[in-house]
Amino acid sequence: MPRWSDPAPCDDDEQLFECPSCGTRLCSELSSVDCERCGREMQNLSVPRPE
């Protein structure tokens, strides 16, 4: 699987998102983002996961 460049660290007003299908990462100011490569909803990595 190809490895995409990691945009982290993001700007202060942005959050880091990752696609669970293809691993694409991007920084965005939005609260919800869809992957441009495969169309799936991306996971917000800037928010801690529930335990």
Side-chain angles (χ1 to χ4, degrees):
M1 174 184 277
R3 299 305 261 170
W4 317 117
S5 61
D6 192 349
C10 298
D11 292 337
D12 290 340
D13 57 344
E14 294 182 324
Q15 299 181 63
L16 179 62
F17 291 86
E18 181 179 70
C19 178
S21 293
C22 67
T24 299
R25 288 186 170 190
L26 64 85
C27 293
S28 176
E29 296 177 359
L30 303 174
S31 59
S32 178
V33 180
D34 290 335
C35 181
E36 293 179 1
R37 294 186 192 271
C38 60
R40 288 199 54 191
E41 184 176 347
M42 299 181 84
Q43 295 176 337
N44 187 340
L45 300 181
S46 299
V47 177
R49 288 183 277 181
E51 293 186 24

